[in-house]
Amino acid sequence: MNRNQGHEPSSEDMQDILKKYDPEARTRSLTGVIGWIVFIGLLSFSLFQLYTAIFGVYTAQIQRSIHLGFALGLIFLLFPAVKSHLHQQKGRLQIAWYDGLLSILGVIVGSYWPLMIQDLVLRVGRLTILDMVVGLLAILLVLEATRRAVGLPITIIAVVFLLYAYFGPYMPGFLAHRGLSLEQIVQSMFFTTEGILGTPIGVSATFIFLFLLFGSFLVKTGVGQYFNDLAVSIAGKLTGGPAKVAIFSSALQGTISGSSVANVVTSGSFTIPMMKKLGYRKEFAGAVEAAASTGGQLMPPIMGAAAFLMVEFIGGISYWDIAKAAAIPAVLYFTGIWIMTHFEAKRIGLRGLSDEEMPDRKEVLKKIYLLVPIIAVIVLLMSGMSVTKAALWSIVVTIAASAINKETRIGLKDAIDALVDGARTALAVAAATASAGIIVGVVTKTGLGLKLANGLVDLSGGLLIPTLFFTMIAAIILGMGSPTTANYVITSTIAAPAIILLGVPDLAAHLFVFYFGIIADITPPVALAAFAAAGVSGGEPIRTGVQSAKLAIAAFIIPYIFVLSPEMLMIDTTLLGIIWVVITSVTGMIAIGSAMVGFWARKMNPLERIIAFITGLLLIYPEGISDIIGIIIFALLYVSQYFFNRQKVKAV
């Protein structure tokens, strides 16, 4: 296919792009006996999770080990050891003998706690030879499953932490510790709830799985296409309409997908060709989709999977507290992208969609009921219902809402497919959280977290801004090769405590590392979401990445602001204060957006751009004097743009 001749990627191309940039999508298409085994395994996985959600979870070790056993058994069948094994050979997909063996061993490891729990509890930490063998197998299988389903970077990080635990006495300076024996490592990694079976996989085995199922049921209603139609109906005719459609649609898509790359490929296949047709450059079209799709994980009410981990890691707060705190920053993020696409469209003179290109609004309104499940999630979480029950009831509401129209109705086959697809999506999350548990276990056992937190504070001279900067760099680097869940676990364990040591509220510190872990997907040189968007648009990947980072400038600024002034997170503030923060912050994003694009009502000279950028920062920072100064300068800029020197200047 030669995209340079104007051809757009086909559905097969989209799948290739998804598999190239998203390790979680690199699964085999199995048929025959193996296909049926995998199908039954995935269906059983979902049914087990639903059963425990309805009737109550088992004790931590049993619930989490069964969850792990399902994941390991299925990953080794679905995810090949090397990419080349994805392709068919002689009309059939080959499953190596060792894949079957590893799958069986994974099931055995997952069954060990349920079968041996009485003996394990009675022995209270004294391991037998069989325990050692199973524990070592668990560690090795988790690492290999993570490499296959998630990628090499997070696997390497987990291995490095294990080596650190063993070779502690040989570590330099403050990193040194007395070291752990092989038996101690196995004990803490698999026979406690502070390692592989720790909090991360505990959240995967409860909250995250159910919300992935919820997203899978939503997909079966056709809500993804409806998001596109709704976005076109609302924003299609505006200046540069298709770009704004991409932003609106991707924000909604984020409620049913926790993957930036998957969001790009899903909504980008619709929005990117539309933007290119209207006149946007390939790189800009791809960047808009990448930035917007990445932001989907920041958008309440259903944020990235790491947000559910945050509930457990912080303690004493509900998921609704996190979603509420993230609301204003998320609005500002998408406002920033919206404003910059608007100014870019004005700069190059782009129109909106014509009447012929718009969908029938009456038809779109007829399916407004598809939004009911998302509204239900918000209401249920606000009511104080547990996250597990809220997800469970949201699935019920989705099935009920789908029955309104024959086109969207979820039948038995659709329901089974949703259960299978949801379990398939959960496999990579289970592997990532299991490996993250290894990292947390080492940090807990060696005291590394406090050592690194103190070291980070010392390195920054005890100053907050340098500490935030070093934390940001760490989160972005880790996020370039790790899924958001694993990235958040690592940074919240190692870096967030350093911020908290300097007096920052726990929620602000955790959201800070959460944000930058997500933004890594559009930060060059390894910007997977941007590269996937370039694959769809035909643009140059690095340029697309640079442009997407530019569009997402708000995400690089706002975390610093809400750490310095937690009022933005609705912490210790009033309703009037919240309204004022929203107004000034959105106004600030207008100034920053114009500065980044270099256009407002007319082309801006370099001095005007610098002034506009500083004005935006003053307005976003929620403090009285800075707001007043910012408003005055903003007003002067507005007058300058709209009432003086009004001749039209085209950008070169």
Side-chain angles (χ1 to χ4, degrees):
M1 183 190 69
N2 184 357
R3 289 178 200 157
N4 294 327
Q5 294 180 359
H7 301 293
E8 302 301 341
S10 64
S11 59
E12 290 80 11
D13 294 321
M14 291 298 177
Q15 285 301 312
D16 289 342
I17 291 168
L18 187 61
K19 288 182 178 181
K20 181 177 181 180
Y21 295 108
D22 188 358
E24 298 176 18
R26 296 171 192 159
T27 57
R28 298 162 166 147
S29 298
L30 299 169
T31 56
V33 175
I34 297 294
W36 275 105
I37 290 172
V38 170
F39 173 81
I40 293 170
L42 291 169
L43 182 60
S44 300
F45 194 6
S46 284
L47 291 176
F48 166 75
Q49 295 291 158
L50 284 174
Y51 174 82
T52 55
I54 296 169
F55 298 104
V57 297
Y58 294 105
T59 57
Q61 291 93 334
I62 292 179
Q63 178 78 18
R64 297 169 188 182
S65 60
I66 293 175
H67 183 81
L68 178 67
F70 269 116
L72 292 177
L74 291 163
I75 284 171
F76 290 117
L77 296 178
L78 277 169
F79 292 84
V82 291
K83 290 182 187 179
S84 60
H85 289 184
L86 277 171
H87 303 297
Q88 289 188 349
Q89 299 175 4
K90 298 180 181 179
R92 296 184 60 189
L93 282 168
Q94 304 300 309
I95 299 295
W97 63 269
Y98 52 79
D99 289 330
L101 176 61
L102 291 174
S103 176
I104 293 169
L105 290 174
V107 173
I108 291 171
V109 164
S111 305
Y112 196 69
W113 261 103
L115 294 175
M116 302 289 290
I117 187 165
Q118 287 186 336
D119 287 344
L120 291 171
V121 170
L122 288 173
R123 279 192 262 111
V124 193
R126 287 177 285 115
L127 302 186
T128 64
I129 294 175
L130 181 60
D131 293 340
M132 281 293 294
V133 171
V134 173
L136 280 170
L137 265 178
I139 295 171
L140 294 172
L141 290 173
V142 164
L143 292 172
E144 172 59 11
T146 304
R147 185 191 69 81
R148 293 188 183 201
V150 184
L152 196 56
I154 181 61
T155 310
I156 292 173
I157 293 170
V159 170
V160 168
F161 272 76
L162 286 170
L163 292 174
Y164 171 77
Y166 188 78
F167 292 105
Y170 308 101
M171 293 293 112
F174 70 89
L175 291 175
H177 63 94
R178 65 183 180 181
L180 302 178
S181 67
L182 185 61
E183 183 175 349
Q184 287 175 315
I185 290 173
V186 171
Q187 165 73 27
S188 60
M189 288 301 110
F190 191 66
F191 294 99
T192 71
T193 53
E194 294 180 348
I196 291 171
L197 302 180
T199 298
I201 202 169
V203 177
S204 174
T206 50
F207 312 151
I208 295 176
F209 193 102
L210 289 175
F211 270 101
L212 291 174
L213 269 186
F214 171 52
S216 186
F217 273 91
L218 274 176
V219 167
K220 288 300 175 184
T221 67
V223 73
Q225 182 57 47
Y226 180 70
F227 284 159
N228 290 336
D229 293 341
L230 181 63
V232 173
S233 298
I234 293 172
K237 300 199 75 170
L238 301 176
T239 302
K244 293 173 181 175
V245 168
I247 297 165
F248 195 94
S249 174
S250 297
L252 292 172
Q253 289 283 359
T255 63
I256 59 174
S257 169
S259 167
S260 302
V261 175
N263 286 351
V264 166
V265 174
T266 302
S267 57
S269 61
F270 169 75
T271 60
I272 289 175
M274 194 162 53
M275 282 187 272
K276 287 170 61 182
K277 182 180 177 183
L278 190 67
Y280 279 110
R281 292 173 288 113
K282 293 177 182 178
E283 287 79 13
F284 191 86
V288 170
E289 182 57 52
S293 291
T294 299
Q297 293 187 68
L298 304 173
M299 177 60 73
I302 307 171
M303 301 159 65
F308 297 104
L309 286 166
M310 207 179 297
V311 177
E312 298 297 316
F313 274 44
I314 297 177
I317 65 170
S318 67
Y319 179 79
W320 178 248
D321 292 328
I322 294 170
K324 183 176 66 173
I328 294 177
V331 168
L332 293 182
Y333 177 87
F334 283 100
T335 299
I337 302 173
W338 183 286
I339 287 165
M340 278 187 267
T341 55
H342 176 76
F343 286 145
E344 176 72 6
K346 288 181 66 177
R347 186 180 74 83
I348 58 180
L350 298 183
R351 62 172 177 84
L353 296 176
S354 64
D355 290 336
E356 291 74 24
E357 295 170 307
M358 293 287 289
D360 187 335
R361 289 188 174 178
K362 289 183 180 178
E363 291 300 315
V364 173
L365 285 174
K366 284 181 182 178
K367 292 185 179 180
I368 196 72
Y369 60 86
L370 290 177
L371 298 182
V372 170
I374 297 173
I375 296 170
V377 170
I378 299 172
V379 172
L380 292 172
L381 290 173
M382 285 181 66
S383 70
M385 182 179 287
S386 71
V387 178
T388 301
K389 294 300 181 185
L392 194 60
W393 279 108
S394 296
I395 294 172
V396 174
V397 171
T398 302
I399 296 171
S402 75
I404 293 174
N405 190 312
K406 186 177 180 180
E407 293 179 18
T408 61
R409 191 169 299 147
I410 296 177
L412 179 60
K413 183 180 181 303
D414 290 328
I416 292 173
D417 287 344
L419 292 171
V420 170
D421 292 343
R424 191 189 304 267
T425 306
L427 296 178
V429 177
T433 50
S435 281
I438 290 175
I439 295 164
V440 174
V442 171
V443 169
T444 303
K445 199 73 176 175
T446 62
L448 179 62
L450 186 58
K451 291 177 182 179
L452 287 177
N454 287 325
L456 194 57
V457 172
D458 290 341
L459 181 65
S460 60
L463 300 174
L464 181 57
I465 295 298
T467 302
L468 293 176
F469 178 77
F470 291 138
T471 301
M472 175 190 75
I473 298 300
I476 289 175
I477 291 173
L478 288 168
M480 287 178 181
S482 306
T484 308
T485 46
N487 177 289
Y488 168 72
V489 169
I490 298 167
T491 51
S492 65
T493 305
I494 295 172
I499 305 175
I500 294 168
L501 279 176
L502 295 174
V504 174
D506 288 11
L507 181 54
H510 281 259
L511 279 174
F512 184 88
V513 298
F514 175 72
Y515 256 67
F516 284 112
I518 290 173
I519 292 306
D521 280 347
I522 51 171
T523 306
V526 186
L528 294 182
F531 291 175
V536 178
S537 70
E540 203 282 318
I542 292 295
R543 289 180 184 173
T544 303
V546 171
Q547 186 67 63
S548 62
K550 181 179 174 182
L551 285 170
I553 186 66
F556 292 92
I557 297 171
I558 292 167
Y560 285 89
I561 303 299
F562 65 59
V563 165
L564 295 170
S565 294
E567 294 91 345
M568 185 176 281
L569 301 179
M570 303 189 207
I571 297 174
D572 297 330
T573 188
T574 62
L575 178 60
L576 190 61
I578 292 169
I579 294 170
W580 179 250
V581 165
V582 171
I583 292 171
T584 56
S585 297
V586 169
T587 307
M589 285 312 307
I590 293 172
I592 288 176
S594 66
M596 297 300 293
V597 175
F599 191 92
W600 194 337
R602 57 174 172 77
K603 185 178 178 181
M604 302 173 74
N605 61 48
L607 180 60
E608 287 177 315
R609 294 177 72 171
I610 293 170
I611 293 172
F613 191 85
I614 294 172
T615 301
L617 293 179
L618 289 170
L619 285 165
I620 291 174
Y621 184 69
E623 195 271 329
I625 295 175
S626 68
D627 286 344
I628 293 169
I629 296 171
I631 288 170
I632 292 170
I633 302 175
F634 183 90
L636 293 173
L637 281 170
Y638 182 87
V639 170
S640 170
Q641 285 286 309
Y642 283 92
F643 295 99
F644 294 100
N645 195 23
R646 296 183 64 184
Q647 66 269 26
K648 294 182 180 179
V649 181
K650 286 190 176 181
V652 178

